[in-house]
Structure formats: structure tokens, C-alpha cells
Amino acid sequence: MTDIKRRDFFKLMGGAAGLALAGCAGAPMVSSTGEMMPKTGRRVVVIGGGYGGTIAAKYVRMSDPSIEVVLVEKSKQFVSCPFSNLVIGGSYQIGDITIGYDKLASNHGVKVVHQEVTGIDAGAKKVVTAGGTLSYDRLIVSPGIGFRFEELEGYDPKATPSAMPHAWKAGEQTTILRRQLEAMKDGGTAIIAVPTTPYRCPPGPYERASQMAWYFKQAKPKSKIIILDANPDVTSKGALFKKGWDKHYKGMIEFRGNNKVVKVDHKKMAVDTGVEEIKGDVVNVIPPQRAADIAIKAGLVGEDKKWCPVDATTFESTIAKGIHVIGDACIAGAMPKSGYSANSEAKVCALNVVALMNGKEPIPLSGINTCYSFLTDKEAVSVAAVYKVDGGKIVSVKGAGGVSPDLSTLEAQYARSWIKNILVEMST
Amino acid sequence: MTRKWKYLAALTGGMLLSASVVAAEPSPAMLANACGGCHGTNGASAGPSMPTIGGQSAIAIAEAMKGFKSGDRPATVMGRIAKGYSDAEIDAMSKYLASQKWVGVGQRADAAMVAKGKDLHDKNCKRCHLENGKEFDENATVLAGQWLEYLQIQMDDYASGSRKMSEKKAERMKKLSRQELEALAQFYASQK
Ligand SMILES: Cc1cc2nc3c(=O)[nH]c(=O)nc-3n(C[C@H](O)[C@H](O)[C@H](O)COP(=O)(O)OP(=O)(O)OC[C@H]3O[C@@H](n4cnc5c(N)ncnc54)[C@H](O)[C@@H]3O)c2cc1C
């Protein structure tokens, strides 16, 4: 807590003690630390300052500046997963994909609070953090993913990721994986374990294999990559990835479908598919996934206990009123778990949160997803789709979308601008 | 949303989605916001190859989108995206984007090339691309401060013949060499 916030906090405790007490009555879940910032007008709280949350916060402010927006994010900086595979390959640096939050505050008046949300009290409309509680009129939750470590025998959530990085949340994990590749001997084996769908970024593991191979080809050409995939085949852009691997990395990448890793041993650097144990010099285990911890804790996940069911137009939780879930954590019909989807969902959600708060009808969804994947440092492919709501579900518009006809340097040129634009959109 | 649509939405409200009563059509902002993940907030691109489309002429945006949709205009990704919208939706989002501020970025360019480009502009282009490309005439585009890499890609497409031109434009463009097209691109990119 900064000094200013601490002062506000005491002011509130003194001045509005009666109100705070009334608000807490019948809500024993809320911690007794009290309200962190006094709510003076209508307020939207956003949890998570990533691909979805930054955009939701900014677009609520852009469409109705009379609504106060508080963005709660645990980290001071955000490192993008998109293009983190290029950091692993070596053609981008981590600084190229790191953004801060100061301009969201100065340009749009978004109030940014760096705290971890530990609980949500849907009844009292409060978010709980170690620094105090925050009241809201509507809450937008975009916390990303969590891991189902418990499904991997031998996985120690503390020790395993430093030996066998997942690098499926970017930052330190990305750097560990890159360093391990740099330290590996020529002729070594890197393993990538891909979980069952749905997981964050369907083409991500195959782009990662391509970027590892791009690095090996220059620095350690005798090395190999084995993809152990829980799914039967490459889950996205399969034909294009295989074409690119054949063109650039013949014999270097071995794809094994229906090879679900069920057991890991980070001391032996081995993974087990139940049929065979395989050892690697670098082992990138991507664990199976679910919505982030806070979504589980707050009871926002559905019967599958993994993902959050939402209304297809407003992204309001079908479980908890007044709480909207966007991004990877939610079930968004045909929209995949991607950064572009999260960006698009955030804008739909923001417009409709504003509509609902102003007593207006929700506006029908129109959304886009595009995912670029790099085969080398200079060639990329993409998949695109346009979305609408039909029969209460998000569906892709027929006749639109699809994948690139071929590997393309022009698409790579546009993709480099895409990452720049989307990160600028999130941070200014 | 027009009054008529609101009225219709109210009439059919009971038959719509069970979870929430939804207006009949996506609003222009709803349609156009989705483009911002690539083209920037309100269509103002941060570059270096993604074109700025906010504040562009509404006719030019709609014409581009319809060209992408039919396949008449070459594209890497826009063809796949434009096919997702009706002509009425394209017109609505084009008007919305056109009403945004044009954020041209005057880029550093080679001074000799800029001078040469200015000369070529005055001789060939200024009747439609008014005020050194800052203003437009009918379906001509705003070019001043558009991103250089994007202008270069477009010049390539014109030179190779993959991007079609109107007769009046072709008459001027066909005479220009690759180097002259590059000078024009640098001139427009350098304008604010
Ligand atoms: C290797 C890789 C490559 C990818 N490439 C692409 C790509 O090219 N294109 C693409 O579109 N997508 C890509 N993705 C997918 C993309 O990263 C995700 O879909 C996107 O980040 C989802 O956005 P989100 O807002 O749901 O979550 P995130 O962007 O992860 O944001 C969640 C934020 O919430 C914060 N948070 C979580 N819990 C709390 C809490 N309790 N309190 C406070 N803060 C909290 C986190 O710190 C984080 O900042 C890729 C993913 C990976 C792993």
C-alpha cells in the first residue's frame, strides 16, 4: 500500500465507519481491513491487467467517463505471451513485449491498484485484497489461466517449473526456458509436452517448436525437438506448421500425437506418457489448464470446475450477477483462448457494462480473432475469424476467416506491427 | 441504433435471448472497436506497417472493405476478415472510423527523396490527394503521415499490377518508375 492509499484508507475508516459497517453486515467473507478507496460515484472494478483487463478498463472509461474504473493487477509490469516464443527463439527481447500501466492512468483516468485479489464477495459487491476491500457496481474479471498441476504425477508446483519451465505465463518462465536452450549442448533433445484442449493459445506449442528449431538450426544444428501431444494431431494450422517444418527444419522436429504426459520427474528430467519414459536436456512441460485461481475461489467456474460460463453478449457470469468474466478464463463459444479474442471480448463487455449501468439494452456482439504464428524469424502464418451471436451462442460468421494460404514474409511484417499495436492499445 | 430498430427490438424483445434482451444489431462502435487490436484504438496505428484507418475518408474505407470482401483488392488477412460483414455493416463501421481523428505521423525520410516526391505529387497526384495528401477528394485516401512501410507495400502492389486502379489513376501511375513510387511514399510519410 502506498502512503497516499494508506491515508485514504484511514480517512475512510474514520469518516465513513457507519457506512462501512452497514455494507459489511451479513457479509462475513469480507476481511475487516475496510474499504481501500472511498467510492464516490458509480464504479467498475477490473481484476487482471493483461490482454482482457487493460482493454476493458480503458474502453469503459472511453465510452462513459462518468464511471470510475479501478484496475487491480498484482504485477507492476505485464509481459506478453504473444511473441514470447520469439524471445525463446532469440529474435525478440523480453523488453520488447513488456508494458506498464502509467499511461492508462494518465490518459484515461483508470485507477491502477497493484494488489492481488484474494476473494470476491458477490453479495456485498466487494473485491478483497491484502490492502483492503474495493466496492464495485459491476466487476470485470480477466485473470487468465491457472494450471491443473494435480493431474501430473510427481509435479511439484514450486520446484518443477524452475527445472522444467512451462513458460505459459510470460516473464521469468520465458527467460528460464531461453537460458536452458542457450546452455544446452549441440546434439541435445528438447521436449515440449502439450496438454489436452482447451488450453491458452492453440497454435502456441507449435510456434514454440518452430522457434526452438530456428535457434537450434543456427546454434546447435545436431539437436532435436520432440513434441509429446495429448491431442491426436497439431491442434491449429496443422498443415502450415508441417509445411514450415519440412521446409526449414527437416528431421529436426518429431511430432507424436496421442502422447499425453501423465507423470514428470524434474530430478531425472524425464516425462512419462504411461507407455514410455522419455528424457530430455530441456523439458518444456505445459500443464493442463483451467481458469485462474481467483475464478475458482470465487466460485465462478461451471460444472466442469475449470472455466467460467457467461452470457454470450454481456459476458456476465451465469453464476454470479454483476460479475463479468472475459479472456481465457471464460467460455466464449467459438472464440479461442487468445490475446486477440480477449481484446475483442473486453471491448464487447465494456460497451455492454456501460449500457447496463445506464439502463440500456445490451448491444449484440461483433468480435474478431486473429493469431499470427512465426515459423522462422521472417515467415509467419495466421488464422482469422469474425464472430457474432446466434441462438445465444458465439459462433464464427460463415464464409469468413480461415488460415493463410502459405508461409509469408509479408504476414510476418504485419504481425510485427500487430504486436506493437495491440501492446500500445493496452498501455496508452 | 435508429429509432426504428429500437422500436423493433422492443416489439420482439420477448422472443430474443433468454438471458438478456439484446438490441437488434451491433452498433457502429461495436463493429469498429474489434479492428483496433490490429489498427490501433480508433484506427490510429502505432506502425510501422499497419495502416492508420481512423479519420480516413468513409468512402475510401468502405471501398477498401468491399474490395477485400470480393477479392478484387489483394490482401494477406483483410479478405478473410471483410467477408464477415454485410455491406450495411461495412458502411456503418466506415462512417464511424471516418469520424475519428486522423493521427498522421510525420516520419523522418530522405530529404532528396521527399523533394522529388513532392515534385511528382504536384505533377500527378494533387488533383485527388489534396493538400499534400492531407485531404481527400471523393474516394481518394488521406496519405499524409500514413506509415511508410504500408505505403511501400501498396506501391509494390500497384507496380506489380496486383492492386487494380481506376483508369484516371492508372494513367498517372503507369508512367512512374519504382524509384519514383518510392519517392512518393517517402514524401507522404514525411507529411503530418
Ligand atoms: C506462448 C504463448 C503464445 C501466445 N501467442 C499468442 C498470439 O500470438 N496471439 C494471441 O492472440 N494470443 C496468444 N497467446 C494467448 C494469450 O496470451 C492469452 O490468450 C491472453 O493473455 C489472455 O488474456 P487474459 O486477459 O485472459 O489473461 P492475461 O493476459 O494472462 O492477464 C491476466 C492478468 O491478471 C493478473 N491476475 C491474475 N490473477 C490475479 C489476482 N488474483 N489479482 C490481481 N491480478 C491477477 C495477472 O497477473 C495477469 O496480468 C499466447 C499464449 C502463450 C502462452
Side-chain angles (χ1 to χ4, degrees), chain A residues 47-53 72-75 77-78 80-85 88 101 115-118 142-145 167-170 200-201 204-205 207-208 292-294 326-329 336-342 369-373 418 422 426:
Chain A
I47 302 177
Y51 270 83
V72 194
E73 162 59 51
K74 60 184 166 199
S75 306
Q77 287 189 314
F78 178 76
S80 165
C81 281
F83 273 61
S84 66
N85 284 332
I88 289 163
Y101 296 97
Q115 288 282 351
E116 179 165 0
V117 176
T118 53
S142 192
I145 54 159
W168 223 243
K169 292 183 186 181
R200 154 180 283 186
C201 193
E207 181 187 53
R208 176 163 295 170
D293 293 356
I294 186 64
I326 57 172
D328 288 350
K337 299 191 186 303
S338 75
Y340 205 107
S341 290
N369 175 54
T370 307
C371 259
Y372 287 106
S373 300
W418 167 75
I422 202 159
M426 289 161 67

Side-chain angles (χ1 to χ4, degrees), chain A residues 194-197 199 202-203 205-206 227-243 245 254-260:
Chain A
V194 185
T196 318
T197 57
Y199 58 83
Y206 317 108
I227 304 174
L228 299 174
D229 203 319
N231 306 288
D233 206 346
V234 174
T235 56
S236 172
K237 306 174 198 164
L240 288 167
F241 276 117
K242 286 176 186 168
K243 187 171 183 182
W245 295 345
E254 185 189 334
F255 179 83
R256 299 192 198 166
N258 288 321
N259 269 252
K260 182 175 171 179

Side-chain angles (χ1 to χ4, degrees), chain A residues 58-59 62 311 313-314 340 343-344 347-348 351-352 360-370 372 382-386 389-393 397-405 408 410-411 413-418 420-422 424-425 428, chain B residues 1 5-6 9-10 17-42 44-51 75-77 79-85 89 93 96 147 149-150 152-154 157:
Chain A
K58 167 171 161 176
Y59 274 75
M62 278 170 52
D311 177 88
T313 298
T314 61
Y340 205 107
N343 173 292
S344 190
K347 291 166 180 173
V348 176
L351 284 190
N352 282 329
K360 299 220 174 89
E361 297 148 25
I363 305 158
L365 169 147
S366 179
I368 295 181
N369 175 54
T370 307
Y372 287 106
S382 65
V383 59
V386 178
V389 169
D390 195 3
K393 288 208 164 75
V397 176
K398 286 206 185 72
V403 297
S404 316
S408 154
L410 188 52
E411 284 223 86
Q413 190 180 355
Y414 283 128
R416 287 189 288 272
S417 287
W418 167 75
K420 181 158 186 211
N421 269 284
I422 202 159
V424 166
E425 175 162 56
T428 62
Chain B
M1 193 169 58
W5 278 115
K6 260 191 194 145
L17 297 181
S18 52
S20 53
V21 180
V22 174
E25 289 203 327
S27 63
M30 172 66 77
L31 292 164
N33 282 352
C35 319
C38 281
H39 288 286
T41 302
N42 292 331
S45 170
S49 63
M50 201 62 82
T76 54
V77 73
R80 286 176 271 156
I81 290 170
K83 286 190 181 77
Y85 303 98
E89 286 174 328
M93 67 173 85
Y96 181 85
W147 289 98
E149 283 188 21
Y150 182 70
Q152 288 168 330
I153 295 167
Q154 298 313 301
D157 282 352

Side-chain angles (χ1 to χ4, degrees), chain A residues 97-158:
Chain A
I97 55 167
T98 303
I99 54 173
Y101 296 97
D102 48 328
K103 292 212 176 98
L104 277 185
S106 59
N107 293 349
H108 302 282
V110 173
K111 294 180 179 158
V112 184
V113 171
H114 290 294
Q115 288 282 351
E116 179 165 0
V117 176
T118 53
I120 300 167
D121 187 331
K125 294 195 165 182
K126 275 174 200 281
V127 155
V128 186
T129 78
T133 61
L134 283 161
S135 294
Y136 61 81
D137 294 296
R138 281 189 181 268
L139 176 64
I140 301 175
V141 185
S142 192
I145 54 159
F147 295 112
R148 283 143 52 201
F149 294 129
E150 64 283 0
E151 289 177 23
L152 293 170
E153 196 186 327
Y155 199 102
D156 174 350
K158 286 229 164 62

